[in-house]
Amino acid sequence: MSITIIFFLGLIVALIGVIPPGLLNMTAAKISLKEGAGRGIMFSSGVSLVVFIQTYIAAIFARYLSNRPDIVEILQRVAFVLFVLITIYFLLLASKEKEPKIEAEIKSKHGRFFHGMLLSVLNVFPIPYQAYMTITLASFGIMDFERLSIITYVTGASMGTFVMLYFYIFFFDKIKDKGFTSQKNMNYIIGSITGIVALVTFINILMEM
């Protein structure tokens, strides 16, 4: 299979995975609105770097993970706890009085880059998602697990993540004058989204028990 096709498959798969509003894309939009597009892009770059690593790990251990559903279950439980904690944080933050000084703690673009890396590390969903997708693609003979194919696919996935985060930055910049993009409402939106994700994860855990 052509390397170009594998690259675009990785890009499309990542785009689909990041399309739903979630912690990473909504945070990228929030940072862009409050601190400028430059810092939103740096945040997105940090996210994309970690996605590159996560996708690579997922591709390398795809067959192992598919044969060990207990590993995926552990990841689901860890993700559930993390998203519950993140939900509580953002809902409590939104319920407080506005504290503009807090956003100034991270002063440099490099700070936002590492902020993106941190939140992306907490988001473990790309690992089981990409493991499943790479196994599916391999089963259809679209890609194999040779080093060149993996690196090409992983690069496409990282680029796809960045493109979708940039879209969120661009979209929210266009509607920044709307009321729901205020800091308080953005915190509520992020908290609600992570709460829904935590609930869905919890339901999946119950269904697999």
Side-chain angles (χ1 to χ4, degrees):
M1 184 61 66
S2 168
I3 291 178
T4 302
I5 295 177
I6 294 175
F7 173 84
F8 280 104
L9 282 173
L11 188 146
I12 292 171
V13 168
L15 279 175
I16 294 173
V18 190
I19 283 176
L23 176 65
L24 299 177
N25 43 33
M26 292 300 293
T27 302
K30 176 182 175 181
I31 291 173
S32 178
L33 287 173
K34 303 304 176 184
E35 303 177 18
R39 295 193 180 188
I41 290 174
M42 287 299 293
F43 173 87
S44 301
S45 298
V47 171
S48 299
L49 176 60
V50 173
V51 168
F52 181 95
I53 298 172
Q54 289 174 326
T55 307
Y56 183 80
I57 292 172
I60 293 297
F61 295 103
R63 295 186 188 277
Y64 174 75
L65 289 174
S66 67
N67 295 324
R68 292 291 303 275
D70 54 312
I71 301 296
V72 177
E73 291 177 6
I74 292 173
L75 291 175
Q76 285 182 329
R77 284 162 172 74
V78 172
F80 170 69
V81 173
L82 290 175
F83 276 101
V84 167
L85 294 176
I86 293 172
T87 298
I88 294 173
Y89 170 77
F90 275 103
L91 292 181
L92 288 177
L93 186 66
S95 66
K96 293 181 179 180
E97 295 292 331
K98 290 185 178 180
E99 301 177 22
K101 298 295 184 181
I102 291 179
E103 290 297 323
E105 289 181 0
I106 300 178
K107 298 181 180 180
S108 69
K109 289 184 178 180
H110 292 93
R112 283 306 185 190
F113 178 83
F114 291 114
H115 182 201
M117 290 183 64
L118 175 62
L119 286 190
S120 191
V121 166
L122 295 177
N123 180 34
V124 298
F125 288 123
I127 296 178
Y129 171 69
Q130 289 290 358
Y132 172 77
M133 292 307 300
T134 52
I135 291 173
T136 300
L137 293 174
S139 68
F140 285 102
I142 298 176
M143 68 172 288
D144 53 41
F145 290 98
E146 296 297 324
R147 181 179 297 273
L148 181 59
S149 293
I150 291 176
I151 293 297
T152 302
Y153 179 86
V154 168
T155 302
S158 179
M159 183 62 66
T161 300
F162 181 84
V163 169
M164 184 51 64
L165 291 179
Y166 184 82
F167 172 80
Y168 268 81
I169 291 172
F170 176 80
F171 175 75
F172 273 86
D173 182 66
K174 292 298 181 183
I175 61 172
K176 60 185 176 183
D177 294 329
K178 303 297 182 180
F180 70 86
T181 60
S182 67
Q183 178 176 338
K184 184 174 182 178
N185 287 335
M186 288 288 284
N187 287 334
Y188 273 127
I189 291 172
I190 295 174
S192 299
I193 290 170
T194 54
I196 292 173
V197 173
L199 178 61
V200 171
T201 303
F202 182 66
I203 292 173
N204 287 335
I205 291 173
L206 292 179
M207 292 178 62
E208 294 175 1
M209 291 180 64

